[in-house]
Amino acid sequence: MTDNTISGGGDYTTVDAQTEGVDLDLWNEDQAPTTAETRTWDWKAISALWVGMVVCVPTYMLASYLIGAGMSWKEAVTTILLANVIVLIPMVLVGHAGAKYGIPFPVLLRSSFGPIGAKIPAVARGIVACGWFGIQTWVGGSAIYVILNTLFGGALAADPLPILGINIFQFICFLAFWGLHIWFIKNGTESIRWLETYAAPFLLLMGLALLAWAYVNAGSFGEMLSTPSQFDVGQPKEGQFWSVFWPSLTGMVGFWATLALNIPDFTRYAKSQKDQFVGQAIGLPIPMALFAFIASAVTSATVVIFGEPIWDPIALTERMGGFAIIIALVALVIATLTTNLAANVVAPAHGFSNLSPATISLKKGGYITAAIGLIMFPWILINHIIGWLIAYSALLGPIAGIMLADYYLLRKQKLEVADLFKSNGIYSASNGWNWAGVLALIIGILPNLPGFLASVGLSDGASAFFMTLYTYAWFVGLFVAGAAYLVLAKMMNK
């Protein structure tokens, strides 16, 4: 091992990757702090990363869930914008640690959970990402199947396979798209940055082109954009807005609550704190709101063009016909690929690597992610997406609360990076377990547990109080766990 060299300069601190005294079972090259040479992401690259993640089929369909629940398009877009402004706050705050110390999410967790205890939240975050990886891969594969089936005049239609519940050609398209992810996993993080940077302007252009197509073909954006909210006076759901708004807001926050945890996996490559802040502030809330508006406007136009609202962009592409199918196929594949690689591969890959850094590299962690996503039957999971968003936000909110309380209120943004890679360092607590973090996580989950069990049918029901509490799952978990951690840390970690 070489001498330990820690240098501070400007917005960040770097640590020699070959830090003296680190334990090899807690360290590998992928999780080692980034160096000045590897910090190549400016604000434009980080904004492009977010645009690449935002523009995807599930994001396009978010507004449909809200409008289907009774909101007007303005209420839906405003709810989505507000949710992303809210989630931007922990996104930037947690991202600060990545930009300052160059460490990924699982290593940052060691400060509040201990080097062994950190494996629990890291893997929990990873499993959620595996589910999303499978869903996004299914969406991309499904797009390929639908469009190819249209081009071949329906020749790919077939009976569903036993057990799988989808036909052989759907499964082949799914596997083909899955294999494309494997190529990028094999070629590492820099290949993902390259893809995100060049794909972002293309995806924005495709979104605006779709909006222009809808306007030209419909002559206007149709009736939906002038349809009043169902919660207005005299409408079917008069006075019920807030009962729909709060769980919807929680669900929309939960959509990116995953990234609010592992954003250090990306900000560790930022050139400065300004780059990570500006990049995220521009790249997340604004494109999310814009994309929600595009989805609402285009769907409104489809009522005029086709006589019915079509929220699914894949189904819309099928109806458009002509050369548009080829263009849409390319756009859908790129949009889904950019989202999936950044949002749902990097985090679980680091999480699984953290289980045994000496034997599981980031690349191997990515392969594990892809394998789990493959066997989770994502074509079934996608049908329960909103309930799942709220459910896992009840888990991820407490983790975010603990990390923020530890980094800002307990540590005052000061970490001894070398000790994060030592089993007997200042963060080792009780044999690698910081029980303040572990117990605070449990405490943060408990208030939402009755509502969760009732919502998934594992209990006969819960009181109105707990069901109401569950609609604020992410917020409740964040504040309860954060407060519990501060108290427990003062009591247990003398």
Side-chain angles (χ1 to χ4, degrees), residues 212-445:
W213 170 88
Y215 185 83
V216 169
N217 283 272
S220 69
F221 288 125
E223 298 179 359
M224 188 180 299
L225 295 189
S226 60
T227 300
S229 167
Q230 292 186 35
F231 308 112
D232 288 349
V233 176
Q235 297 300 318
K237 297 183 178 181
E238 179 183 345
Q240 301 176 36
F241 175 77
W242 296 110
S243 64
V244 173
F245 171 78
W246 288 113
S248 297
L249 183 69
T250 301
M252 296 304 106
V253 168
F255 191 77
W256 288 123
T258 50
L259 263 293
L261 296 182
N262 75 283
I263 193 64
D265 294 341
F266 299 103
T267 59
R268 64 196 295 241
Y269 297 105
K271 290 183 176 181
S272 68
Q273 292 292 353
K274 180 180 178 181
D275 283 302
Q276 77 98 2
F277 174 78
V278 174
Q280 294 202 79
I282 293 176
L284 173 56
I286 298 172
M288 280 291 291
L290 174 63
F291 207 46
F293 168 73
I294 290 175
S296 301
V298 171
T299 303
S300 182
T302 61
V303 177
V304 177
I305 299 169
F306 301 112
E308 61 177 327
I310 303 174
W311 280 103
D312 186 345
I314 298 173
L316 174 59
T317 300
E318 189 177 12
R319 296 284 288 272
M320 288 168 67
F323 188 69
I325 291 180
I326 304 299
I327 298 175
L329 173 62
V330 174
L332 282 167
V333 167
I334 292 176
T336 308
L337 187 64
T338 54
T339 301
N340 222 12
L341 286 170
N344 304 316
V345 171
V346 175
H350 273 297
F352 294 130
S353 176
N354 190 56
L355 288 174
S356 180
T359 57
I360 304 177
S361 65
L362 189 64
K363 187 180 297 184
K364 288 182 180 178
Y367 293 149
I368 294 171
T369 300
I372 294 175
L374 182 66
I375 63 176
M376 288 182 77
F377 283 41
W379 45 90
I380 296 175
L381 187 61
I382 195 173
N383 295 322
H384 307 280
I385 192 168
I386 289 295
W388 192 45
L389 282 172
I390 297 177
Y392 75 62
S393 72
L395 169 65
L396 302 185
I399 298 174
I402 293 168
M403 293 174 67
L404 291 171
D406 179 78
Y407 184 66
Y408 284 95
L409 302 179
L410 194 67
R411 312 286 183 189
K412 309 297 184 184
Q413 305 173 40
K414 296 178 181 179
L415 298 175
E416 297 295 333
V417 178
D419 279 85
L420 292 171
F421 296 90
K422 298 177 182 178
S423 57
N424 61 347
I426 63 174
Y427 305 108
S428 61
S430 179
N431 296 318
W433 292 85
N434 184 343
W435 289 107
V438 176
L439 292 175
L441 177 60
I442 296 172
I443 293 171
I445 292 172

